[in-house]
Amino acid sequence: MIIYTDTNLFLSPAQTLVNTVNTVGVMGRGIAKDFKHYYPRMFEHYRTICRAHQLDVGQLILSKEEPVLWRRKPTGQQRERWVLNFPTKRHWRAKSKLDYVENGLEKFVKTYAQRGIKSVSFPQLGVGNGGLKWPVVQEMMEDYLGSLDIPVYIHIYHPHTDHYDQDDKKAIEANLNVAHDAWRQCEAVLAAGFDQDPNVNVDGVVLPGNETYDRAQALAGTKELRLIDQERPAIWLQRDSHSAEPQVEQLELDI
């Protein structure tokens, strides 16, 4: 199931966030620069692998690590917020290539289940700094990802998602530090019965067209429940992020 949204990728409810990278170990522009900021140990391991010439297009690095905000606060047992580094180009100065994107998508489809990926957020792969045309990339992403049995979020670039004020930064840091399924423990969610509702996906998102959505929309004014996409409405149910701290996890890399 694909869910399109124009929200910032770092505000996604998904368990796994996709970072578009090169294979020479540089995260200096675009979304990769933000990943470098929030996941510094992930970046150091990625750079080490690249300098050893062990990463090529069609290979994916799955990193399981706590965001920088909570590196010294190990608590909890259920936190999962992973990064999947996805090469769309070889050199950072080069443009992305469509066949590189396809190679990575093929790899993802073959390996996501065995890697334990339960839901995932993608940017527009190779678009923007990569130079690829979105309609072509979109068709390819839908072909590969549309039939998967996990929630797949595709984040469409919008000016407000790329320039943050201080409140946005705080919201991002808070979101990265909450378990992707922590919303289930929210009092309002439990009271409404959404924690066991089959119309609510693993991330706490319910799409329009059913009674669950109508009930969730009526509650969306509370601090626990938020609309994540006004044009293609979907409800994101999540506990107040400031009340949850994750455990510090051992970094795991899988190429």
Side-chain angles (χ1 to χ4, degrees):
M1 175 182 65
I2 292 178
I3 301 169
Y4 284 97
T5 176
D6 67 355
T7 56
N8 185 282
L9 187 136
F10 293 105
L11 292 176
S12 168
Q15 171 213 42
T16 301
L17 309 180
V18 175
N19 179 25
T20 51
V21 298
N22 53 68
T23 62
V24 296
V26 176
M27 292 187 185
R29 299 178 63 189
I31 195 170
K33 184 177 181 180
D34 291 328
F35 271 103
K36 177 181 177 180
H37 170 71
Y38 292 119
Y39 294 88
R41 287 196 300 163
M42 173 277 294
F43 169 71
E44 291 300 328
H45 281 79
Y46 153 77
R47 185 169 60 178
T48 298
I49 288 171
C50 290
R51 287 179 173 178
H53 306 291
Q54 294 176 341
L55 179 65
D56 200 358
V57 293
Q59 296 177 307
L60 307 174
I61 304 176
L62 181 63
S63 174
K64 305 175 183 179
E65 181 197 7
E66 84 291 351
V68 63
L69 185 66
W70 293 114
R71 279 183 295 172
R72 296 179 180 87
K73 294 186 177 182
T75 62
Q77 298 299 319
Q78 301 300 321
R79 192 199 155 273
E80 291 184 329
R81 190 77 66 175
W82 301 346
V83 176
L84 186 71
N85 286 319
F86 187 120
T88 63
K89 59 176 68 175
R90 286 201 163 94
H91 197 278
W92 64 270
R93 289 193 181 94
K95 293 296 184 181
S96 298
K97 293 189 177 182
L98 197 60
D99 57 338
Y100 295 173
V101 172
E102 185 167 26
N103 290 342
L105 288 170
E106 288 178 348
K107 184 72 169 182
F108 178 80
V109 170
K110 291 178 181 177
T111 61
Y112 78 92
Q114 69 190 52
R115 292 181 173 191
I117 294 175
K118 300 174 184 176
S119 59
V120 62
S121 274
F122 281 88
Q124 294 166 283
L125 295 172
V127 179
N129 290 331
L132 295 179
K133 302 298 184 182
W134 172 233
V136 178
V137 174
Q138 180 181 18
E139 182 178 2
M140 178 178 289
M141 292 181 71
E142 290 182 345
D143 286 344
Y144 279 95
L145 304 173
S147 62
L148 299 189
D149 58 354
I150 62 172
V152 176
Y153 304 89
I154 297 179
H155 294 253
I156 305 300
Y157 172 81
H158 188 279
H160 74 68
T161 68
D162 195 44
H163 303 283
Y164 321 131
D165 59 27
Q166 193 59 36
D167 289 339
D168 292 327
K169 291 179 180 178
K170 291 179 180 178
I172 288 170
E173 290 176 348
N175 182 58
L176 292 179
N177 281 288
V178 70
H180 85 289
D181 59 354
W183 62 272
R184 296 181 189 277
Q185 306 306 315
C186 170
E187 183 176 346
V189 170
L190 293 171
F194 293 140
D195 61 317
Q196 300 295 327
D197 194 311
N199 290 313
V200 182
N201 76 16
V202 67
D203 299 318
V205 173
V206 55
L207 296 179
N210 55 68
E211 183 181 345
T212 301
Y213 178 82
D214 295 336
R215 290 193 295 119
Q217 191 172 42
L219 293 170
T222 70
K223 70 177 182 179
E224 293 90 354
L225 309 180
R226 290 181 285 166
L227 285 170
I228 63 170
D229 189 337
Q230 297 290 349
E231 293 186 2
R232 302 179 181 87
I235 298 293
W236 173 6
L237 297 72
Q238 182 176 309
R239 180 169 132 187
D240 182 356
S241 299
H242 292 285
S243 64
E245 296 180 5
Q247 73 176 105
V248 175
E249 298 181 52
Q250 177 66 37
L251 183 68
E252 298 181 22
L253 294 174
D254 177 16
I255 296 180

